Amino acid sequence: MFDALKLQSPDKIIALMKAYREDPRPVKVDLGVGVYKTAEGNTPIMRAVKAAEKQLWDEETTKTYVALLGDAGFHDVMIDLILGPETVPRENVAAVATPGGTGAVHHGLELIRMSNPDVTVWVSDPTWPNHISILDYLGIKWRTYRYFDAEKCEVDFEGMLEDLSQIAEGDAVLLHGCCHNPTGANLNLGQMAEVAEIIRTKGCVPFVDIAYQGFGDGLDTDAIATRHLARHLPEVLIAASCSKNFGLYRERTGILLGITPNEDAANLVRDNMSYLNRQNFSFPPDHGARLVTMILNDPELRADWQAELEEVRVSMLSLRQKLADTLRERLNSDRFDFVAQHRGMFSRLGLTEVEVQQLREKHAIYMVGDSRINIAGLNEENIPILANAIAQVCG
Ligand SMILES: Cc1ncc(COP(=O)(O)O)c(C=O)c1O
């Protein structure tokens, strides 16, 4: 039976991680997968997470199932974190805990397909490869809208609006929350408001994938564009992840929110969310969600988590500035100044595939083929190595 299976095309990011691990060269630089790392190359457990885990170990008395939708306390704290207290009435929001943000993306797309089997989902060019592969896996039609100006390394807003003018009633538009686009270039609030207006007038639904709240300009500022959509559109889906901003990667902690016009609509969406969990894996993971709930409900743990997240955010801004400055100095050019303007964990550098390949082969520097780098993979030691190597391959 199994010999009828076909080999699946490998996930590029996972293949890159493997190639880096297997590279025997003593000095190598990993700028691939989106995991936060300290200057020493570690991905630490956040202090508040460790403290909450200790408390949970003492206090937890059962591991029995919680609920198909996950714990209601987790829904409440996440709705508050993402949407803030007054963006939409709580009773209009349906929520379901999922295995990571990717689980929420999968469920959100299934929900869209269940609502409109003929839907076209519009995705940014570029987007994360697994957006496309999940859409293909679910057999959902998709089209791309322009997002990035590869020359200027900034958002191609005119191109984006032109392409979004073609969306049709009943379509869905996959949007990136702050810092989530793989290019590092973000829409500002005014631009998101224009996109919201197109989506509203066309009768489409936006689906926001947000995994880096707190990595750009601060927890609330990073959510402003998402909150704008939630406030101004009748229906919005949001897939959120706690992998990055709580450092809970392997605990698979995420949530899907459905913002609806009224309580009855929210109940209907919630019922279908519960159905999706039951059909796919039944009860969602609880450990990470419980830790997040404890942290956000406890003023001391919350303050410590926010302080540590702020350290991470500020350190990435400073790495961006250092890389931009070093490249300016090595190349005697302002070509890479945009790196300091981008936000979050990623920047697309605008190098060619050949240049990216040369960086890997000659300098043991690993980045994704479209020249996207993980800023958190940089440190004082490897910034000059990277800058020198870029100067060589681009020179
Ligand atoms: C498209 C997409 N959305 C969200 C996430 C959030 O990560 P996780 O699924 O680990 O919560 C990822 C991470 O790989 C992703 O690729």
Side-chain angles (χ1 to χ4, degrees), residues 74-116:
F74 176 61
H75 303 161
D76 288 342
V77 291
M78 288 301 287
I79 290 169
D80 187 58
L81 184 71
I82 300 160
L83 295 178
E86 280 160 17
T87 303
V88 276
R90 174 67 184 87
E91 63 274 18
N92 293 2
V93 185
V96 62
T98 54
T102 313
V105 169
H106 176 277
H107 271 15
L109 292 175
E110 265 210 271
L111 205 61
I112 286 170
R113 187 184 59 178
M114 285 159 71
S115 310
N116 176 11

Side-chain angles (χ1 to χ4, degrees), residues 88-94 234 236 258-267 269-270:
V88 276
R90 174 67 184 87
E91 63 274 18
N92 293 2
V93 185
V236 180
I259 290 135
T260 69
N262 55 56
E263 196 173 349
D264 285 347
N267 285 338
V269 170
R270 197 173 294 119

Side-chain angles (χ1 to χ4, degrees), residues 29-31 37-39 316 319-320 322-323 339 373-383 386:
V29 181
D30 177 14
L31 303 175
K37 285 182 274 189
T38 61
M316 279 192 302
L319 289 168
R320 285 186 173 282
K322 272 188 197 132
L323 180 61
V339 171
I373 61 168
N374 174 7
I375 296 292
L378 298 170
N379 56 45
E380 298 276 348
E381 266 168 46
N382 66 24
I383 285 178
L386 174 64

Side-chain angles (χ1 to χ4, degrees), residues 48 81 126 156 182 203 217 219 227 237 264 269 305 323 358 381:
L81 184 71
D156 173 7
D217 293 304
L219 275 171
R227 289 176 191 174
L237 279 174
D264 285 347
V269 170
W305 167 68
L323 180 61
Q358 284 176 352
E381 266 168 46

Side-chain angles (χ1 to χ4, degrees), residues 335 350-359 369-371 393-394:
R335 173 176 166 188
L351 306 176
T352 64
E353 288 226 9
V354 174
E355 288 165 342
V356 169
Q357 197 180 336
Q358 284 176 352
L359 287 173
D370 66 2
S371 74
V393 303
C394 295

